[in-house]
């Protein structure tokens, strides 16, 4: 069968992945763009350093399959349905037996006079982003027209480009589809606190000359209320419209407001043509999210392969997003449109959190929810809404802050078999249970068998919970052993090593384990030894069990080079030290990047260059930044009361004091900290493992925050404490975490898994319920007293220096490491660039 697919976006490519290897199928893919499918969901990361290659969704060699052809820069302009041919822009006619329209959508641009002026752009493709980068380089101010999901993503892109950024929205609030009025007000406040000006309720009448860049702006946006906004660049991101022009010219039935009409099988009015994704109209709805498009792609693929059983019955439009660093989530009937529905509301303006539950009239069923500022409960609430799980007697407990000894969330046993666990790969709880029953009794085997947690990875904790629950039901003892060589958890092994006084891996495995060790237990034991005894990690007795990063005291990068990260306590640095870093970067040809933790990363160092680089840095007074280790990374700070008119305490001095106290501290996972000089929170302390916020009466101490893949707000451990008490409580908290945390477990996950959570931690580190506080403080005092810079020791130890060479038997450099110039600096040469270089 000859299949033609028009469109190679995310949904079109999902169809190809589902059809890969289907016998008797000849597929031609037409793509208007100059490159194959890429991730449009994360487009804004293009301005944060990701390349088009990084965003690609195409696996290496994918289009090398037989009977699969991709044609780039190929635009279809007409369909000859009678002859079953696709007409291309150059006049070529391409025959088909079946046709799939995956043409997607185009950006909606309001009919505003002046919208076609130079520097007025849209936000949709990589080419659009390249145009934004071009105009952004000669602009100072940027405006996004549209305050929805795409508009705020675009605003992040402008911020990443360093522009003064504004968002103009016609509606009275941001994200009108996802949040209500109260949530919209909080979202606006949080976005403005991040430095983005928000103008809601603004109707743009025309765009005229603004006087020029540096004078006022390249453009003047005139609003209906008589006001105006000067800007140098305008990006329209005010929604999408379906690409249905081919359907129109071919006489396929379309909706009154656009979109190609489809039935429950995604078939159009022509039985030989399907439509999927954002061009398709199902029961009057266009689905503007990727997940429904993926469902359509899977359904059509099943029909083509002759295995279809289900129908398309719509899609849940619940979403969880992080926009400009702000958590936003919307579930089900977020606006409370269901007749008789009731609301539960929780609002904390100080913490910047708003939560709403929409429940049925009898308060027994969750219909929808809105979460702004804290979306940690999204997963549990979504499962409740999707599966009709009865609400607890006090539904408000689901959104109120945790109380001591309290428990929130949803046990996996309550989930029905139909509950979707992995939406990316359409894996239900029933699929997981069936795979476990068939023998997939490890997490790796379960992932391989079902594909769950192999895409974005966000469902991995839930997959693990299902696995553990099913194994326990089967009478299988679920162990938390470190690995096959140690029948102990990390916590148990830490205490055994501490009590037994073992100081080498060989001693530890002889006393408490078996065999020779592996890649799991060796770094874990090395970390335990460092936490207990604080000896240099590259001593001969320790070096053999370190992972690559610790072995070379540097972070290995994708091209085999290493990054160098000197410590800059509190982000404070003298001009002389800045000059040294710049000179080192010039001397060794390194790429330089300011990090989010107020440090300077130097990339592209070959392994044999590391000692010389650090020799120059150490001579200038720099120390290791420990970016390579599971240890303290940074203590971020604002300028505090020293400079800022809002500051109430000296946050810089406190940040430096904290960073110099805990530098080099080895722990189960990396640790990040921050100190803010007032409640405006410019240092983002509430997203850190340890966050300190100044008050008029002292310091508030927050713990167990995480800004990573699964963000978590830090929780208040103690309020209005003085300097000495603050340090004492941090000492106790960190040492308690180091003693009891699991391998590679962040403080956020650790505290969630502790029975009693924050309440239990308070009892231990404040009330001394276990009688450990003096011991924890003494342990930390020994750590502080025995600290030494690992690189300073390394470059003065001849035996250690011998390891810094790429080849064991030669001093040659690695010839595979190649760079190209980009924006005045180096970057690694891509595999494609290397291939083209050698292709005749």
């Amino acid at each position: 069968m000859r299949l033609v697919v028009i469109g190679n976006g995310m949904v079109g490519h999902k169809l190809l992945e589902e059809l890969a290897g289907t016998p008797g199928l000849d597929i031609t893919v037409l793509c208007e763009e100059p490159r194959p499918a890429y991730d449009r969901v994360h487009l804004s990361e293009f301005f944060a350093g990701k390349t088009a290659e990084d965003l690609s969704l195409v696996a290496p060699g994918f289009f090398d399959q037989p009977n699969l052809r991709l044609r780039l820069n190929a635009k279809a302009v007409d369909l000859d349905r009678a002859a079953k041919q696709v007409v291309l822009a150059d006049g070529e006619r391409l025959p088909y037996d079946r046709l799939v329209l995956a043409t997607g959508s185009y950006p909606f641009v309001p009919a505003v006079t002046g919208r076609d002026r130079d520097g007025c752009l849209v936000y949709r493709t990589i080419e659009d982003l390249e145009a934004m980068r071009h105009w952004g380089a000669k602009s100072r101010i940027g405006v996004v027209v549209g305050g929805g999901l795409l508009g705020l993503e675009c605003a992040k892109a402008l911020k990443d480009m360093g522009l003064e950024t504004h968002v103009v929205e016609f509606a009275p609030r941001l994200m009108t589809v996802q949040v209500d009025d109260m949530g919209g007000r909080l979202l606006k406040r949080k976005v403005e606190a991040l430095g983005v000006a928000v103008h809601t309720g603004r109707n743009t009448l025309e765009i005229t000359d603004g006087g020029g860049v540096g004078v006022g702006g390249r453009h003047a946006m005139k609003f209906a209320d008589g006001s105006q906004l000067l800007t140098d660049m305008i990006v329209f991101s005010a929604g999408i419209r379906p690409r249905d022009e081919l359907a129109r010219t071919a006489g396929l039935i379309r909706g009154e407001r656009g979109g190609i009409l489809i039935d429950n099988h995604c078939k159009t009015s022509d039985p030989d043509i399907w439509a999927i994704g954002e061009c398709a109209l199902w029961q009057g709805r266009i689905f503007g999210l990727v997940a429904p498009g993926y469902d359509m792609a899977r359904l059509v693929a099943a029909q083509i392969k002759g295995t279809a059983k289900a129908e398309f019955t719509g899609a849940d439009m619940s979403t969880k997003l992080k926009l400009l660093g702000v958590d936003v989530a919307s579930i089900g009937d977020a606006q409370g449109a269901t007749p008789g529905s009731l609301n539960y509301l929780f609002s904390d303006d100080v913490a910047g959190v708003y939560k709403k539950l929409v429940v049925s009239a009898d308060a027994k069923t969750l219909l929808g929810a809105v979460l702004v500022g804290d979306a940690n409960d999204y997963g549990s609430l979504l499962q409740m809404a999707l599966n009709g799980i009865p609400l607890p007697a006090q539904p408000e407990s689901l959104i109120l802050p945790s109380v001591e000894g309290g428990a929130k969330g949803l046990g996996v046993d309550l989930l029905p078999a139909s509950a979707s666990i992995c939406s990316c790969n359409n894996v239900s709880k029933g699929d997981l249970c069936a795979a476990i029953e068939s023998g997939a009794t490890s997490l790796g085997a379960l992932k391989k068998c079902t594909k769950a947690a192999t895409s974005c990875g966000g469902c991995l904790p839930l997959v693990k919970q299902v696995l553990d629950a099913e194994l326990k039901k089967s009478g299988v003892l679920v162990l938390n052993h470190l690995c096959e060589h140690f029948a102990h958890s990390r916590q148990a092994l830490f205490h055994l090593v501490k009590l037994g006084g073992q100081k080498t891996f060989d001693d530890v495995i002889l006393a408490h384990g078996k065999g020779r060790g592996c890649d799991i237990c060796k770094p874990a034991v090395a970390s335990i030894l460092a936490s207990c005894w604080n000896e240099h990690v590259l001593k001969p007795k320790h070096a053999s069990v370190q992972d690559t990063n610790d072995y070379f005291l540097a972070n290995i990068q994708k091209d085999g080079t290493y990054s160098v990260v000197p410590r800059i306590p509190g982000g404070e640095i003298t001009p002389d030290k800045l000059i040294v870093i710049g000179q080192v970067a010039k001397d060794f040809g390194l790429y330089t990047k300011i990090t989010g933790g107020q440090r300077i990363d130097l990339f592209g160092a070959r392994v044999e260059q590391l000692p010389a680089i650090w020799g120059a840095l150490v001579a200038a007074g720099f120390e290791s930044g420990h970016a390579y280790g599971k240890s303290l990374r940074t203590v971020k700070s604002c300028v505090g009361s020293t400079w800022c008119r809002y500051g109430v305490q000296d946050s810089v001095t406190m940040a430096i004091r904290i960073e110099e106290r805990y530098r080099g501290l080895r722990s189960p996972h990396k640790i990040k900290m921050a100190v803010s000089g007032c409640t405006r929170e410019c240092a983002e302390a509430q997203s850190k493992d340890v966050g300190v916020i100044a008050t008029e009466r002292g310091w508030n101490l927050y713990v167990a925050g995480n800004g990573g893949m699964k963000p978590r707000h830090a929780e208040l451990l103690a309020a209005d404490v003085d300097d000495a008490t603050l340090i004492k409580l941090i000492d106790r908290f960190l040492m308690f975490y180091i003693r009891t945390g699991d391998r590679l477990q962040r403080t956020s996950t650790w505290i969630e898994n502790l029975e009693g959570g924050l309440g239990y931690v308070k009892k231990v580190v404040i009330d001394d319920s276990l009688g450990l506080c003096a011991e924890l403080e003494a342990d930390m005092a020994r750590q502080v007293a025995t600290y030494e810079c690992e690189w300073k020791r390394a470059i003065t130890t001849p035996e250690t220096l011998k390891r810094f060479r790429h080849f064991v038997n030669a001093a040659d450099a690695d010839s595979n490491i190649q760079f190209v110039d980009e924006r005045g600096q180096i970057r690694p040469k891509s595999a494609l660039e290397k291939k083209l270089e050698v292709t005749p």
Side-chain angles (χ1 to χ4, degrees), residues 233-423:
M233 183 170 80
I234 300 173
V235 185
F236 292 99
S237 188
I240 58 171
R241 297 292 184 268
R243 288 280 307 270
D244 59 3
E245 61 269 27
L246 282 175
R248 182 176 64 251
T249 61
L252 296 175
I253 298 177
R254 300 159 53 245
E256 290 184 5
R257 301 181 64 185
I260 308 167
L261 192 68
I262 62 171
D263 62 12
N264 290 356
H265 301 284
C266 296
K267 284 193 174 182
T268 68
S269 53
D270 185 324
D272 293 326
I273 302 177
W274 290 277
I276 58 177
E278 292 175 337
C279 67
L281 179 72
W282 180 83
Q283 295 191 4
R285 296 186 68 186
I286 296 287
F287 296 93
L289 297 178
V290 169
Y294 280 2
D295 288 341
M296 294 180 186
R298 281 188 282 260
L299 176 62
V300 170
Q303 293 175 67
I304 292 172
K305 293 188 289 187
T307 60
K309 294 181 181 179
E311 296 182 353
F312 184 75
T313 56
D316 174 60
M317 296 298 282
S318 301
T319 53
K320 178 185 176 185
L321 309 157
K322 196 174 187 70
L323 300 167
L324 286 161
V326 181
D327 286 331
V328 181
S330 174
I331 296 172
D333 181 14
Q335 308 293 347
T338 304
S341 61
L342 304 172
N343 295 333
Y344 290 93
L345 305 177
F346 171 74
S347 180
D348 183 345
D349 285 346
V350 176
V353 173
Y354 170 74
K355 300 182 181 183
K356 179 178 82 169
L357 297 182
V358 180
V359 303
S360 58
D362 59 5
K364 293 183 178 180
T365 305
L366 180 64
L367 303 177
V370 174
L371 306 171
V372 178
D374 177 7
N376 287 327
D377 299 323
Y378 174 79
S380 295
L381 295 176
L382 177 63
Q383 292 296 341
M384 284 185 168
L386 291 179
N387 298 290
I389 296 171
L391 289 167
Q394 289 80 36
E396 66 273 16
S397 65
L398 297 173
I399 56 174
L400 291 175
S402 298
V403 295
E404 183 177 319
K408 295 200 304 179
L410 179 68
V412 293
D413 285 340
L414 294 177
L415 293 177
S418 59
S420 176
I421 302 297
C422 176
S423 58

Side-chain angles (χ1 to χ4, degrees), residues 526-640:
S527 175
I528 289 172
L529 293 172
S531 296
C532 286
W533 317 121
N534 207 24
E535 294 182 337
H536 196 273
V537 297
L538 294 189
K539 279 189 173 183
K541 63 182 180 180
H542 298 315
S544 62
V545 295
Q546 304 293 347
D547 63 15
T548 300
N549 284 355
D550 275 317
Y551 189 83
F552 290 118
L553 302 180
N555 263 358
I556 192 168
Q557 303 300 315
K558 62 189 288 186
D559 65 335
T561 61
Y562 290 83
S563 65
V564 171
V565 188
R567 187 171 296 285
I568 302 177
E572 182 180 82
I573 187 168
T574 65
D576 286 340
K577 283 192 171 183
L578 277 174
I579 291 170
V580 169
I581 291 179
Q583 192 60 52
V584 167
K586 288 182 67 175
D587 290 346
F588 292 91
L590 306 177
Y591 170 88
T592 57
K593 176 79 170 61
I594 306 294
T595 74
Q598 299 178 332
R599 300 198 295 196
I600 301 174
D601 279 9
L602 307 174
F603 290 85
R606 299 192 307 273
V607 67
E608 74 274 8
Q609 294 176 315
L610 291 173
I613 291 171
W614 273 105
L617 292 172
V618 168
F622 286 103
E623 295 182 339
S624 168
H626 285 92
Y628 49 82
K630 303 305 181 190
S631 55
L632 175 67
R633 296 293 176 87
T634 63
V635 181
K636 187 175 182 179
S637 76
C638 62
V639 295

Side-chain angles (χ1 to χ4, degrees), residues 513-534:
K514 62 182 180 180
R516 298 182 178 180
C518 64
D519 291 341
I520 293 175
C521 63
K522 286 182 177 179
V525 171
S527 175
I528 289 172
L529 293 172
S531 296
C532 286
W533 317 121
N534 207 24

